Amino acid sequence: MTKIKMCGLSRMEDIEYANDVMPEFIGFVFAQKSKRYVSPETAAKLREQLDYRIAAVGVFVDEEPEKIAELVKNEVIDIVQLHGSENNRFISRLRELIEVPIIQAFRIISSYDIENAVMSDADFVLLDSGAGTGKTFDWSLIRGLNRPYFLAGGISPENAAEAVEQLSPYAVDASSSLETDGAKDFDKMNAFSEAVRGELF
């Protein structure tokens, strides 16, 4: 069954919502330019209240490996997601410091981007339409991809069931579509979960 990742959680209410909905993954964004940025200190407090069955993913953009490793070692995050210009050499360096799953994000515009995703040494790749655009990309480009991936970019309660049915991704990842006025919305999070898990049908 396709797993669920809900990204950009930043408030204690968001954690409470997640504990009710029970996605397999939630995401803390550590990129300071993001409007969903959380400090390591805030993330640590939020993590303390997160249900132990939900894995916390740390989202980074060109961060120093040592800083990423510190958050893993302090048990703030369980999984690392790389969203910048990181390459396989960076991933290798990170693996010298920590032993947790690594997700590498790719912006998908053409089949060339899929080729890059295939060559990534990360445990998983995340396929997106861009940094937080909230729009889908051409899903037909994915059909040649033979590795587990997180599908992101415009995935919403309205199209999540279609995405799962057509593509059977390892996981679907949503953020802005789960918000109202810039804050996570429980009803949207719940509707997203129900759509992915087929609980509406």
Side-chain angles (χ1 to χ4, degrees):
M1 179 180 287
T2 296
K3 301 180 186 299
I4 297 171
K5 177 169 174 275
M6 296 181 172
C7 202
L9 277 63
S10 60
R11 308 172 302 158
M12 200 58 75
E13 297 97 312
D14 301 346
I15 298 298
E16 293 169 2
Y17 298 163
N19 288 344
D20 278 342
V21 176
M22 287 298 294
E24 284 78 11
F25 311 95
I26 61 97
F28 294 132
V29 178
F30 295 105
Q32 293 191 19
K33 292 182 180 179
S34 170
K35 61 184 177 182
R36 299 180 183 89
Y37 168 77
V38 291
S39 67
E41 295 76 20
T42 297
K45 291 176 182 176
L46 295 174
R47 174 59 194 267
E48 288 176 1
Q49 302 304 316
L50 183 69
D51 190 294
Y52 72 94
R53 292 167 290 183
I54 303 173
V57 180
V59 180
F60 303 92
V61 177
D62 299 321
E63 184 57 87
E64 296 175 12
E66 291 76 15
K67 290 187 178 180
I68 297 173
E70 186 176 355
L71 285 165
V72 173
K73 291 172 182 175
N74 290 337
E75 298 184 349
V76 177
I77 58 173
D78 307 294
I79 298 170
V80 172
Q81 180 175 318
L82 305 175
H83 236 285
S85 58
E86 301 91 353
N87 55 23
N88 284 340
R89 187 181 305 165
F90 184 97
I91 291 172
S92 177
R93 170 61 182 148
L94 202 52
R95 286 207 169 107
E96 292 174 0
L97 301 172
I98 51 176
E99 294 182 8
V100 298
I102 297 172
I103 306 167
Q104 186 174 16
F106 290 87
R107 183 181 182 189
I108 305 302
I109 299 174
S110 70
S111 57
Y112 174 78
D113 302 306
I114 295 295
E115 291 173 14
N116 285 336
V118 169
M119 293 187 290
S120 170
D121 286 341
D123 299 283
F124 300 94
V125 292
L126 182 145
L127 311 179
D128 202 350
S129 57
T133 62
K135 297 179 181 178
T136 58
F137 59 88
D138 181 0
W139 291 348
S140 69
L141 293 170
I142 301 177
R143 290 184 183 132
L145 183 61
N146 187 24
R147 65 176 299 173
Y149 64 89
F150 286 68
L151 181 66
I155 309 301
S156 68
E158 290 73 33
N159 66 9
E162 179 187 0
V164 171
E165 183 179 352
Q166 282 191 23
L167 303 168
S168 298
Y170 173 79
V172 286
D173 187 341
S175 184
S176 60
S177 69
L178 308 179
E179 297 174 353
T180 298
D181 297 328
K184 289 294 183 284
D185 182 313
F186 173 76
D187 289 337
K188 290 181 179 179
M189 291 171 70
N190 194 48
F192 184 77
S193 170
E194 289 178 341
V196 174
R197 292 171 175 158
E199 294 168 11
L200 293 180
F201 306 100

